[in-house]
Amino acid sequence: MGWRARLLALDGLMPGMDEAGALAWTSLADAPQDAELVFLGLDGDRPCFACVPPQGDSAPRMANPALWAAMAALSPGDLAVYGGARSLVDWHARHRFCAQCGGATEIAKGGWQRNCTQCGAQHFPRTDPVTIMLVEHEDRLMLGRGLGWGEGRFSALAGFVEPGESIEEAVAREVLEESGVTVRDVSYVASQPWPFPSQLMIGCHALADDDTVTMDETELAELRWFTRDEVKAALVGGPDAPFAKPPREAIATHLLTWWSAK
Amino acid sequence: MGWRARLLALDGLMPGMDEAGALAWTSLADAPQDAELVFLGLDGDRPCFACVPPQGDSAPRMANPALWAAMAALSPGDLAVYGGARSLVDWHARHRFCAQCGGATEIAKGGWQRNCTQCGAQHFPRTDPVTIMLVEHEDRLMLGRGLGWGEGRFSALAGFVEPGESIEEAVAREVLEESGVTVRDVSYVASQPWPFPSQLMIGCHALADDDTVTMDETELAELRWFTRDEVKAALVGGPDAPFAKPPREAIATHLLTWWSAK
């Protein structure tokens, strides 16, 4: 199968792109002899693989400006392939040892598993559920600016689902922690994988009991209520926009668009 | 604080219970000197802790008959406390080493984190999103009997969300893999934490395009369509029930009840 198999071109964890702005692919022959390969699926009858980056800096990589630019250029289909591949190879690169016994692990099941060479424990790629929520009060939305974000940039509050919580409980706890506001009527809107490094974003809507906020200053730089007209104007963009909207690819933009049309 | 602090009584990962069938608590003084302690929260002004089991057998523990019996006896509040505590101490017991470098890890942040003593990597408790879905076709539901389940026991199909998937994509892939059926109009119904070992169950509903099934025999022993009347009769139970319903505590029972009343 070697001559037909394709290898996703990655520079570290960044996508390689061809002149047309599509994901670049090379031949499996280009992979280092001892490389760990992850099977991504079939493209027609051609198997597609990605290579686990060599050992080295293995901190989880969040989205950054260069990555946002690459994501904005890729088609939705390419973005899905890249996102899934990136999440998997990054997980492998950060799980070369067994959390149970400290022994070396090796890739198994085409890259969808790692097995410990010492105690035999099986390890599976991790996906972390994260809630992201539009909190509404009298036709206004609560949006926050994270610490370190650029001036004027606002988005929905978000946080990891903790052990022992339902989605609805996670939304209520997170909003209370970050804003001091209690919410009711939490409802699910949409979900999206977010492979930086490995989140499942769960988009929700909730009604606030009150609009008095007590901002968590360890997480947020600003916390404000925006009217429907302000949200609509931000989605249109331009110099007069009341705030800078999240990137097109983020589920937050989808949620804001959904709410503004509601 | 020592004299006021409470320690959750655990026998391995099983709950200790008092004569009234409530969770048993002891004093923090009962914890071994070198035990790793997880902070569970405050009960009024009394801090509550659980102890990480000593090193030993550290395979993840699924729900089993003894556990089902204990769960059926606990109140919803106690069940939530026990579930969260169990999931956390089990995660600590299975993460004594760093997946990145193999070094020893130590408990941090009151048990909501482990830090590597060698490379400094931070590790966080894991929660795995799992979709569980009612697949409907012309007012009938597709339910399956897993390999190894007792005769007559049926429940909703379920499977882990994989890297790169949305909730809706995971539902469609899982149903296709297990039954050969394609679905449309996937919608979210409810969620529930399931700490055996650490799942977030995401309950969904979907419409099947067709009722011709091709069962995945590596996962399932039986796969059948049940009418609304059959589902209602199963929820009532008794000797004439068309199938044995899932346990009361499982989200599958909630989903079946929701559908039968729809």
PDB file of all heavy atoms in Angstrom, chain A residues 58 94-97 99-100 124-127 129 164 167-168 188 191 193, chain B residues 58 94-97 99-100 124-127 129 164 167-168 188 191 193:
ATOM      1  N   SER A  58       7.021  19.249  24.595  1.00  0.00           N
ATOM      2  CA  SER A  58       5.743  18.555  24.474  1.00  0.00           C
ATOM      3  C   SER A  58       4.667  19.213  25.321  1.00  0.00           C
ATOM      4  O   SER A  58       3.756  18.577  25.796  1.00  0.00           O
ATOM      5  CB  SER A  58       5.906  17.087  24.843  1.00  0.00           C
ATOM      6  OG  SER A  58       6.566  16.970  26.083  1.00  0.00           O
ATOM      7  N   ARG A  94       2.598  13.622  23.786  1.00  0.00           N
ATOM      8  CA  ARG A  94       2.588  13.939  25.222  1.00  0.00           C
ATOM      9  C   ARG A  94       2.242  12.734  26.095  1.00  0.00           C
ATOM     10  O   ARG A  94       2.028  12.876  27.286  1.00  0.00           O
ATOM     11  CB  ARG A  94       1.620  15.099  25.490  1.00  0.00           C
ATOM     12  CG  ARG A  94       2.116  16.428  24.918  1.00  0.00           C
ATOM     13  CD  ARG A  94       1.225  17.606  25.257  1.00  0.00           C
ATOM     14  NE  ARG A  94      -0.060  17.538  24.590  1.00  0.00           N
ATOM     15  CZ  ARG A  94      -1.220  17.351  25.195  1.00  0.00           C
ATOM     16  NH1 ARG A  94      -1.264  17.209  26.505  1.00  0.00           N
ATOM     17  NH2 ARG A  94      -2.334  17.289  24.509  1.00  0.00           N
ATOM     18  N   HIS A  95       2.179  11.536  25.487  1.00  0.00           N
ATOM     19  CA  HIS A  95       1.844  10.329  26.256  1.00  0.00           C
ATOM     20  C   HIS A  95       2.777   9.172  25.936  1.00  0.00           C
ATOM     21  O   HIS A  95       2.334   8.058  25.674  1.00  0.00           O
ATOM     22  CB  HIS A  95       0.369   9.955  26.018  1.00  0.00           C
ATOM     23  CG  HIS A  95      -0.575  10.925  26.661  1.00  0.00           C
ATOM     24  ND1 HIS A  95      -0.875  12.150  26.103  1.00  0.00           N
ATOM     25  CD2 HIS A  95      -1.245  10.878  27.844  1.00  0.00           C
ATOM     26  CE1 HIS A  95      -1.703  12.805  26.903  1.00  0.00           C
ATOM     27  NE2 HIS A  95      -1.943  12.060  27.954  1.00  0.00           N
ATOM     28  N   ARG A  96       4.071   9.455  25.942  1.00  0.00           N
ATOM     29  CA  ARG A  96       5.059   8.415  25.647  1.00  0.00           C
ATOM     30  C   ARG A  96       5.322   7.512  26.851  1.00  0.00           C
ATOM     31  O   ARG A  96       6.053   6.538  26.749  1.00  0.00           O
ATOM     32  CB  ARG A  96       6.363   9.059  25.169  1.00  0.00           C
ATOM     33  CG  ARG A  96       6.244   9.702  23.801  1.00  0.00           C
ATOM     34  CD  ARG A  96       7.610  10.005  23.195  1.00  0.00           C
ATOM     35  NE  ARG A  96       7.480  10.154  21.758  1.00  0.00           N
ATOM     36  CZ  ARG A  96       7.289  11.327  21.137  1.00  0.00           C
ATOM     37  NH1 ARG A  96       7.212  12.430  21.829  1.00  0.00           N
ATOM     38  NH2 ARG A  96       7.175  11.367  19.824  1.00  0.00           N
ATOM     39  N   PHE A  97       4.750   7.871  28.005  1.00  0.00           N
ATOM     40  CA  PHE A  97       4.940   7.065  29.220  1.00  0.00           C
ATOM     41  C   PHE A  97       3.599   6.740  29.861  1.00  0.00           C
ATOM     42  O   PHE A  97       2.604   7.434  29.627  1.00  0.00           O
ATOM     43  CB  PHE A  97       5.847   7.814  30.201  1.00  0.00           C
ATOM     44  CG  PHE A  97       7.230   8.028  29.656  1.00  0.00           C
ATOM     45  CD1 PHE A  97       7.520   9.164  28.908  1.00  0.00           C
ATOM     46  CD2 PHE A  97       8.222   7.080  29.842  1.00  0.00           C
ATOM     47  CE1 PHE A  97       8.781   9.357  28.362  1.00  0.00           C
ATOM     48  CE2 PHE A  97       9.488   7.264  29.301  1.00  0.00           C
ATOM     49  CZ  PHE A  97       9.766   8.394  28.559  1.00  0.00           C
ATOM     50  N   ALA A  99       0.921   6.546  32.696  1.00  0.00           N
ATOM     51  CA  ALA A  99       0.578   7.310  33.897  1.00  0.00           C
ATOM     52  C   ALA A  99       0.426   6.399  35.109  1.00  0.00           C
ATOM     53  O   ALA A  99       0.512   6.846  36.249  1.00  0.00           O
ATOM     54  CB  ALA A  99      -0.715   8.095  33.670  1.00  0.00           C
ATOM     55  N   GLN A 100       0.219   5.096  34.856  1.00  0.00           N
ATOM     56  CA  GLN A 100       0.000   4.163  35.954  1.00  0.00           C
ATOM     57  C   GLN A 100       1.312   3.679  36.568  1.00  0.00           C
ATOM     58  O   GLN A 100       1.425   3.565  37.773  1.00  0.00           O
ATOM     59  CB  GLN A 100      -0.764   2.960  35.412  1.00  0.00           C
ATOM     60  CG  GLN A 100      -2.009   2.679  36.189  1.00  0.00           C
ATOM     61  CD  GLN A 100      -2.930   1.728  35.467  1.00  0.00           C
ATOM     62  OE1 GLN A 100      -3.944   2.139  34.927  1.00  0.00           O
ATOM     63  NE2 GLN A 100      -2.577   0.462  35.458  1.00  0.00           N
ATOM     64  N   PHE A 124      -6.024   5.751  26.012  1.00  0.00           N
ATOM     65  CA  PHE A 124      -6.804   6.212  24.862  1.00  0.00           C
ATOM     66  C   PHE A 124      -6.739   7.736  24.747  1.00  0.00           C
ATOM     67  O   PHE A 124      -6.660   8.429  25.768  1.00  0.00           O
ATOM     68  CB  PHE A 124      -8.256   5.759  25.004  1.00  0.00           C
ATOM     69  CG  PHE A 124      -8.386   4.267  25.073  1.00  0.00           C
ATOM     70  CD1 PHE A 124      -8.391   3.613  26.292  1.00  0.00           C
ATOM     71  CD2 PHE A 124      -8.431   3.513  23.911  1.00  0.00           C
ATOM     72  CE1 PHE A 124      -8.480   2.221  26.359  1.00  0.00           C
ATOM     73  CE2 PHE A 124      -8.514   2.125  23.963  1.00  0.00           C
ATOM     74  CZ  PHE A 124      -8.536   1.482  25.193  1.00  0.00           C
ATOM     75  N   PRO A 125      -6.803   8.248  23.497  1.00  0.00           N
ATOM     76  CA  PRO A 125      -6.758   9.699  23.321  1.00  0.00           C
ATOM     77  C   PRO A 125      -7.827  10.374  24.170  1.00  0.00           C
ATOM     78  O   PRO A 125      -8.913   9.828  24.370  1.00  0.00           O
ATOM     79  CB  PRO A 125      -7.043   9.889  21.828  1.00  0.00           C
ATOM     80  CG  PRO A 125      -6.603   8.630  21.193  1.00  0.00           C
ATOM     81  CD  PRO A 125      -6.895   7.554  22.204  1.00  0.00           C
ATOM     82  N   ARG A 126      -7.478  11.529  24.643  1.00  0.00           N
ATOM     83  CA  ARG A 126      -8.325  12.239  25.583  1.00  0.00           C
ATOM     84  C   ARG A 126      -9.075  13.353  24.875  1.00  0.00           C
ATOM     85  O   ARG A 126      -8.529  14.027  24.015  1.00  0.00           O
ATOM     86  CB  ARG A 126      -7.395  12.803  26.657  1.00  0.00           C
ATOM     87  CG  ARG A 126      -7.989  13.772  27.603  1.00  0.00           C
ATOM     88  CD  ARG A 126      -6.971  14.115  28.686  1.00  0.00           C
ATOM     89  NE  ARG A 126      -7.548  15.093  29.581  1.00  0.00           N
ATOM     90  CZ  ARG A 126      -7.257  15.182  30.872  1.00  0.00           C
ATOM     91  NH1 ARG A 126      -6.372  14.371  31.414  1.00  0.00           N
ATOM     92  NH2 ARG A 126      -7.823  16.094  31.626  1.00  0.00           N
ATOM     93  N   THR A 127     -10.336  13.522  25.210  1.00  0.00           N
ATOM     94  CA  THR A 127     -11.123  14.658  24.727  1.00  0.00           C
ATOM     95  C   THR A 127     -11.781  15.295  25.945  1.00  0.00           C
ATOM     96  O   THR A 127     -12.492  14.622  26.683  1.00  0.00           O
ATOM     97  CB  THR A 127     -12.218  14.189  23.742  1.00  0.00           C
ATOM     98  OG1 THR A 127     -11.597  13.528  22.638  1.00  0.00           O
ATOM     99  CG2 THR A 127     -13.020  15.366  23.224  1.00  0.00           C
ATOM    100  N   PRO A 129     -14.434  17.697  27.651  1.00  0.00           N
ATOM    101  CA  PRO A 129     -15.648  18.489  27.425  1.00  0.00           C
ATOM    102  C   PRO A 129     -15.542  19.866  28.085  1.00  0.00           C
ATOM    103  O   PRO A 129     -15.165  19.969  29.250  1.00  0.00           O
ATOM    104  CB  PRO A 129     -16.760  17.645  28.059  1.00  0.00           C
ATOM    105  CG  PRO A 129     -16.075  16.714  29.006  1.00  0.00           C
ATOM    106  CD  PRO A 129     -14.668  16.549  28.544  1.00  0.00           C
ATOM    107  N   GLY A 164     -18.009  14.633  37.947  1.00  0.00           N
ATOM    108  CA  GLY A 164     -19.214  14.631  38.768  1.00  0.00           C
ATOM    109  C   GLY A 164     -20.269  15.639  38.355  1.00  0.00           C
ATOM    110  O   GLY A 164     -21.300  15.743  39.011  1.00  0.00           O
ATOM    111  N   ILE A 167     -23.645  18.686  32.098  1.00  0.00           N
ATOM    112  CA  ILE A 167     -23.388  19.884  31.292  1.00  0.00           C
ATOM    113  C   ILE A 167     -24.068  21.094  31.930  1.00  0.00           C
ATOM    114  O   ILE A 167     -23.470  22.167  32.076  1.00  0.00           O
ATOM    115  CB  ILE A 167     -23.908  19.663  29.846  1.00  0.00           C
ATOM    116  CG1 ILE A 167     -23.025  18.629  29.130  1.00  0.00           C
ATOM    117  CG2 ILE A 167     -23.950  20.972  29.072  1.00  0.00           C
ATOM    118  CD1 ILE A 167     -23.566  18.178  27.778  1.00  0.00           C
ATOM    119  N   GLU A 168     -25.313  20.907  32.343  1.00  0.00           N
ATOM    120  CA  GLU A 168     -26.092  22.012  32.905  1.00  0.00           C
ATOM    121  C   GLU A 168     -25.478  22.506  34.222  1.00  0.00           C
ATOM    122  O   GLU A 168     -25.439  23.713  34.489  1.00  0.00           O
ATOM    123  CB  GLU A 168     -27.542  21.559  33.117  1.00  0.00           C
ATOM    124  CG  GLU A 168     -28.302  21.282  31.813  1.00  0.00           C
ATOM    125  CD  GLU A 168     -27.919  19.960  31.112  1.00  0.00           C
ATOM    126  OE1 GLU A 168     -27.186  19.140  31.720  1.00  0.00           O
ATOM    127  OE2 GLU A 168     -28.329  19.754  29.957  1.00  0.00           O
ATOM    128  N   TYR A 188     -28.999  23.380  25.597  1.00  0.00           N
ATOM    129  CA  TYR A 188     -27.918  23.056  24.656  1.00  0.00           C
ATOM    130  C   TYR A 188     -28.207  23.711  23.313  1.00  0.00           C
ATOM    131  O   TYR A 188     -29.346  23.712  22.848  1.00  0.00           O
ATOM    132  CB  TYR A 188     -27.848  21.536  24.508  1.00  0.00           C
ATOM    133  CG  TYR A 188     -26.956  21.063  23.390  1.00  0.00           C
ATOM    134  CD1 TYR A 188     -25.589  20.914  23.598  1.00  0.00           C
ATOM    135  CD2 TYR A 188     -27.479  20.751  22.141  1.00  0.00           C
ATOM    136  CE1 TYR A 188     -24.770  20.470  22.580  1.00  0.00           C
ATOM    137  CE2 TYR A 188     -26.656  20.302  21.116  1.00  0.00           C
ATOM    138  CZ  TYR A 188     -25.303  20.165  21.343  1.00  0.00           C
ATOM    139  OH  TYR A 188     -24.486  19.728  20.318  1.00  0.00           O
ATOM    140  N   SER A 191     -22.468  21.905  19.275  1.00  0.00           N
ATOM    141  CA  SER A 191     -21.156  21.472  19.748  1.00  0.00           C
ATOM    142  C   SER A 191     -20.152  21.500  18.604  1.00  0.00           C
ATOM    143  O   SER A 191     -20.528  21.530  17.431  1.00  0.00           O
ATOM    144  CB  SER A 191     -21.230  20.067  20.339  1.00  0.00           C
ATOM    145  OG  SER A 191     -21.491  19.121  19.316  1.00  0.00           O
ATOM    146  N   PRO A 193     -15.784  20.179  17.838  1.00  0.00           N
ATOM    147  CA  PRO A 193     -14.470  19.781  18.356  1.00  0.00           C
ATOM    148  C   PRO A 193     -13.514  20.964  18.258  1.00  0.00           C
ATOM    149  O   PRO A 193     -13.629  21.787  17.340  1.00  0.00           O
ATOM    150  CB  PRO A 193     -14.045  18.660  17.407  1.00  0.00           C
ATOM    151  CG  PRO A 193     -14.769  18.927  16.133  1.00  0.00           C
ATOM    152  CD  PRO A 193     -16.066  19.591  16.515  1.00  0.00           C
TER     153      PRO A 193
ATOM    154  N   SER B  58      -4.702  -1.051  39.808  1.00  0.00           N
ATOM    155  CA  SER B  58      -5.165   0.270  39.419  1.00  0.00           C
ATOM    156  C   SER B  58      -5.872   0.256  38.067  1.00  0.00           C
ATOM    157  O   SER B  58      -5.849   1.219  37.335  1.00  0.00           O
ATOM    158  CB  SER B  58      -3.988   1.239  39.394  1.00  0.00           C
ATOM    159  OG  SER B  58      -2.922   0.693  38.653  1.00  0.00           O
ATOM    160  N   ARG B  94      -4.579   6.111  39.368  1.00  0.00           N
ATOM    161  CA  ARG B  94      -4.085   5.632  38.077  1.00  0.00           C
ATOM    162  C   ARG B  94      -3.174   6.638  37.368  1.00  0.00           C
ATOM    163  O   ARG B  94      -2.835   6.455  36.214  1.00  0.00           O
ATOM    164  CB  ARG B  94      -5.278   5.270  37.176  1.00  0.00           C
ATOM    165  CG  ARG B  94      -6.022   4.022  37.675  1.00  0.00           C
ATOM    166  CD  ARG B  94      -7.139   3.569  36.748  1.00  0.00           C
ATOM    167  NE  ARG B  94      -8.264   4.472  36.751  1.00  0.00           N
ATOM    168  CZ  ARG B  94      -8.616   5.240  35.722  1.00  0.00           C
ATOM    169  NH1 ARG B  94      -7.933   5.194  34.608  1.00  0.00           N
ATOM    170  NH2 ARG B  94      -9.652   6.037  35.813  1.00  0.00           N
ATOM    171  N   HIS B  95      -2.794   7.725  38.067  1.00  0.00           N
ATOM    172  CA  HIS B  95      -1.938   8.749  37.444  1.00  0.00           C
ATOM    173  C   HIS B  95      -0.795   9.146  38.369  1.00  0.00           C
ATOM    174  O   HIS B  95      -0.536  10.328  38.557  1.00  0.00           O
ATOM    175  CB  HIS B  95      -2.776   9.959  37.031  1.00  0.00           C
ATOM    176  CG  HIS B  95      -3.671   9.655  35.863  1.00  0.00           C
ATOM    177  ND1 HIS B  95      -4.855   8.970  36.001  1.00  0.00           N
ATOM    178  CD2 HIS B  95      -3.530   9.889  34.529  1.00  0.00           C
ATOM    179  CE1 HIS B  95      -5.416   8.814  34.802  1.00  0.00           C
ATOM    180  NE2 HIS B  95      -4.638   9.362  33.904  1.00  0.00           N
ATOM    181  N   ARG B  96      -0.107   8.142  38.916  1.00  0.00           N
ATOM    182  CA  ARG B  96       1.010   8.426  39.823  1.00  0.00           C
ATOM    183  C   ARG B  96       2.288   8.773  39.068  1.00  0.00           C
ATOM    184  O   ARG B  96       3.303   9.117  39.674  1.00  0.00           O
ATOM    185  CB  ARG B  96       1.241   7.229  40.750  1.00  0.00           C
ATOM    186  CG  ARG B  96       0.130   7.023  41.762  1.00  0.00           C
ATOM    187  CD  ARG B  96       0.547   6.098  42.893  1.00  0.00           C
ATOM    188  NE  ARG B  96      -0.306   6.287  44.055  1.00  0.00           N
ATOM    189  CZ  ARG B  96      -1.416   5.582  44.294  1.00  0.00           C
ATOM    190  NH1 ARG B  96      -1.798   4.638  43.465  1.00  0.00           N
ATOM    191  NH2 ARG B  96      -2.144   5.819  45.373  1.00  0.00           N
ATOM    192  N   PHE B  97       2.236   8.655  37.717  1.00  0.00           N
ATOM    193  CA  PHE B  97       3.423   8.968  36.912  1.00  0.00           C
ATOM    194  C   PHE B  97       3.044   9.920  35.777  1.00  0.00           C
ATOM    195  O   PHE B  97       1.881  10.013  35.383  1.00  0.00           O
ATOM    196  CB  PHE B  97       4.032   7.681  36.361  1.00  0.00           C
ATOM    197  CG  PHE B  97       4.541   6.778  37.451  1.00  0.00           C
ATOM    198  CD1 PHE B  97       3.703   5.835  38.035  1.00  0.00           C
ATOM    199  CD2 PHE B  97       5.837   6.908  37.929  1.00  0.00           C
ATOM    200  CE1 PHE B  97       4.155   5.024  39.072  1.00  0.00           C
ATOM    201  CE2 PHE B  97       6.295   6.106  38.963  1.00  0.00           C
ATOM    202  CZ  PHE B  97       5.447   5.159  39.540  1.00  0.00           C
ATOM    203  N   ALA B  99       2.770  11.168  32.105  1.00  0.00           N
ATOM    204  CA  ALA B  99       2.656  10.569  30.771  1.00  0.00           C
ATOM    205  C   ALA B  99       3.673  11.172  29.801  1.00  0.00           C
ATOM    206  O   ALA B  99       4.007  10.573  28.787  1.00  0.00           O
ATOM    207  CB  ALA B  99       1.241  10.769  30.228  1.00  0.00           C
ATOM    208  N   GLN B 100       4.196  12.350  30.145  1.00  0.00           N
ATOM    209  CA  GLN B 100       5.136  13.018  29.260  1.00  0.00           C
ATOM    210  C   GLN B 100       6.561  12.520  29.431  1.00  0.00           C
ATOM    211  O   GLN B 100       7.269  12.305  28.462  1.00  0.00           O
ATOM    212  CB  GLN B 100       5.094  14.518  29.563  1.00  0.00           C
ATOM    213  CG  GLN B 100       4.826  15.348  28.352  1.00  0.00           C
ATOM    214  CD  GLN B 100       4.459  16.771  28.710  1.00  0.00           C
ATOM    215  OE1 GLN B 100       3.299  17.157  28.633  1.00  0.00           O
ATOM    216  NE2 GLN B 100       5.437  17.554  29.095  1.00  0.00           N
ATOM    217  N   PHE B 124      -4.433  17.059  34.741  1.00  0.00           N
ATOM    218  CA  PHE B 124      -5.753  17.357  35.291  1.00  0.00           C
ATOM    219  C   PHE B 124      -6.674  16.150  35.166  1.00  0.00           C
ATOM    220  O   PHE B 124      -6.556  15.381  34.205  1.00  0.00           O
ATOM    221  CB  PHE B 124      -6.358  18.563  34.564  1.00  0.00           C
ATOM    222  CG  PHE B 124      -5.516  19.795  34.695  1.00  0.00           C
ATOM    223  CD1 PHE B 124      -4.549  20.100  33.746  1.00  0.00           C
ATOM    224  CD2 PHE B 124      -5.654  20.620  35.799  1.00  0.00           C
ATOM    225  CE1 PHE B 124      -3.740  21.229  33.879  1.00  0.00           C
ATOM    226  CE2 PHE B 124      -4.853  21.747  35.940  1.00  0.00           C
ATOM    227  CZ  PHE B 124      -3.894  22.045  34.978  1.00  0.00           C
ATOM    228  N   PRO B 125      -7.610  15.989  36.117  1.00  0.00           N
ATOM    229  CA  PRO B 125      -8.547  14.867  36.036  1.00  0.00           C
ATOM    230  C   PRO B 125      -9.233  14.827  34.684  1.00  0.00           C
ATOM    231  O   PRO B 125      -9.528  15.873  34.098  1.00  0.00           O
ATOM    232  CB  PRO B 125      -9.539  15.147  37.159  1.00  0.00           C
ATOM    233  CG  PRO B 125      -8.793  15.985  38.129  1.00  0.00           C
ATOM    234  CD  PRO B 125      -7.864  16.820  37.304  1.00  0.00           C
ATOM    235  N   ARG B 126      -9.466  13.622  34.234  1.00  0.00           N
ATOM    236  CA  ARG B 126      -9.994  13.417  32.896  1.00  0.00           C
ATOM    237  C   ARG B 126     -11.477  13.111  32.972  1.00  0.00           C
ATOM    238  O   ARG B 126     -11.931  12.396  33.861  1.00  0.00           O
ATOM    239  CB  ARG B 126      -9.208  12.246  32.303  1.00  0.00           C
ATOM    240  CG  ARG B 126      -9.735  11.673  31.041  1.00  0.00           C
ATOM    241  CD  ARG B 126      -8.753  10.630  30.507  1.00  0.00           C
ATOM    242  NE  ARG B 126      -9.301  10.017  29.324  1.00  0.00           N
ATOM    243  CZ  ARG B 126      -8.570   9.566  28.306  1.00  0.00           C
ATOM    244  NH1 ARG B 126      -7.251   9.628  28.355  1.00  0.00           N
ATOM    245  NH2 ARG B 126      -9.157   9.034  27.262  1.00  0.00           N
ATOM    246  N   THR B 127     -12.251  13.664  32.041  1.00  0.00           N
ATOM    247  CA  THR B 127     -13.666  13.334  31.893  1.00  0.00           C
ATOM    248  C   THR B 127     -13.899  13.015  30.423  1.00  0.00           C
ATOM    249  O   THR B 127     -13.600  13.832  29.558  1.00  0.00           O
ATOM    250  CB  THR B 127     -14.557  14.523  32.305  1.00  0.00           C
ATOM    251  OG1 THR B 127     -14.289  14.844  33.667  1.00  0.00           O
ATOM    252  CG2 THR B 127     -16.027  14.164  32.165  1.00  0.00           C
ATOM    253  N   PRO B 129     -16.235  12.409  27.275  1.00  0.00           N
ATOM    254  CA  PRO B 129     -17.604  12.556  26.765  1.00  0.00           C
ATOM    255  C   PRO B 129     -18.046  11.302  26.005  1.00  0.00           C
ATOM    256  O   PRO B 129     -17.316  10.792  25.154  1.00  0.00           O
ATOM    257  CB  PRO B 129     -17.520  13.772  25.832  1.00  0.00           C
ATOM    258  CG  PRO B 129     -16.086  13.932  25.488  1.00  0.00           C
ATOM    259  CD  PRO B 129     -15.288  13.310  26.598  1.00  0.00           C
ATOM    260  N   GLY B 164     -11.862  15.185  17.194  1.00  0.00           N
ATOM    261  CA  GLY B 164     -12.248  15.761  15.909  1.00  0.00           C
ATOM    262  C   GLY B 164     -13.732  15.675  15.594  1.00  0.00           C
ATOM    263  O   GLY B 164     -14.159  16.097  14.526  1.00  0.00           O
ATOM    264  N   ILE B 167     -20.690  16.395  18.911  1.00  0.00           N
ATOM    265  CA  ILE B 167     -21.618  15.447  19.528  1.00  0.00           C
ATOM    266  C   ILE B 167     -22.485  14.796  18.448  1.00  0.00           C
ATOM    267  O   ILE B 167     -22.668  13.567  18.432  1.00  0.00           O
ATOM    268  CB  ILE B 167     -22.501  16.177  20.570  1.00  0.00           C
ATOM    269  CG1 ILE B 167     -21.651  16.584  21.789  1.00  0.00           C
ATOM    270  CG2 ILE B 167     -23.685  15.309  21.002  1.00  0.00           C
ATOM    271  CD1 ILE B 167     -22.378  17.485  22.777  1.00  0.00           C
ATOM    272  N   GLU B 168     -22.999  15.613  17.533  1.00  0.00           N
ATOM    273  CA  GLU B 168     -23.890  15.116  16.492  1.00  0.00           C
ATOM    274  C   GLU B 168     -23.158  14.136  15.561  1.00  0.00           C
ATOM    275  O   GLU B 168     -23.730  13.120  15.141  1.00  0.00           O
ATOM    276  CB  GLU B 168     -24.453  16.307  15.699  1.00  0.00           C
ATOM    277  CG  GLU B 168     -25.397  17.217  16.514  1.00  0.00           C
ATOM    278  CD  GLU B 168     -24.682  18.127  17.524  1.00  0.00           C
ATOM    279  OE1 GLU B 168     -23.440  18.242  17.476  1.00  0.00           O
ATOM    280  OE2 GLU B 168     -25.378  18.724  18.375  1.00  0.00           O
ATOM    281  N   TYR B 188     -30.042  17.041  21.203  1.00  0.00           N
ATOM    282  CA  TYR B 188     -29.597  16.810  22.569  1.00  0.00           C
ATOM    283  C   TYR B 188     -30.811  16.693  23.491  1.00  0.00           C
ATOM    284  O   TYR B 188     -31.768  17.455  23.346  1.00  0.00           O
ATOM    285  CB  TYR B 188     -28.720  17.983  23.002  1.00  0.00           C
ATOM    286  CG  TYR B 188     -28.375  18.015  24.464  1.00  0.00           C
ATOM    287  CD1 TYR B 188     -27.309  17.280  24.962  1.00  0.00           C
ATOM    288  CD2 TYR B 188     -29.115  18.787  25.355  1.00  0.00           C
ATOM    289  CE1 TYR B 188     -26.990  17.322  26.307  1.00  0.00           C
ATOM    290  CE2 TYR B 188     -28.799  18.829  26.700  1.00  0.00           C
ATOM    291  CZ  TYR B 188     -27.735  18.086  27.167  1.00  0.00           C
ATOM    292  OH  TYR B 188     -27.427  18.121  28.503  1.00  0.00           O
ATOM    293  N   SER B 191     -27.924  15.375  30.001  1.00  0.00           N
ATOM    294  CA  SER B 191     -26.587  14.845  30.287  1.00  0.00           C
ATOM    295  C   SER B 191     -26.495  14.419  31.739  1.00  0.00           C
ATOM    296  O   SER B 191     -27.311  14.829  32.573  1.00  0.00           O
ATOM    297  CB  SER B 191     -25.515  15.887  29.989  1.00  0.00           C
ATOM    298  OG  SER B 191     -25.605  16.961  30.899  1.00  0.00           O
ATOM    299  N   PRO B 193     -23.247  12.971  34.700  1.00  0.00           N
ATOM    300  CA  PRO B 193     -21.914  12.405  34.942  1.00  0.00           C
ATOM    301  C   PRO B 193     -22.040  10.921  35.278  1.00  0.00           C
ATOM    302  O   PRO B 193     -23.043  10.507  35.875  1.00  0.00           O
ATOM    303  CB  PRO B 193     -21.407  13.198  36.156  1.00  0.00           C
ATOM    304  CG  PRO B 193     -22.641  13.657  36.860  1.00  0.00           C
ATOM    305  CD  PRO B 193     -23.702  13.839  35.799  1.00  0.00           C
TER     306      PRO B 193
END
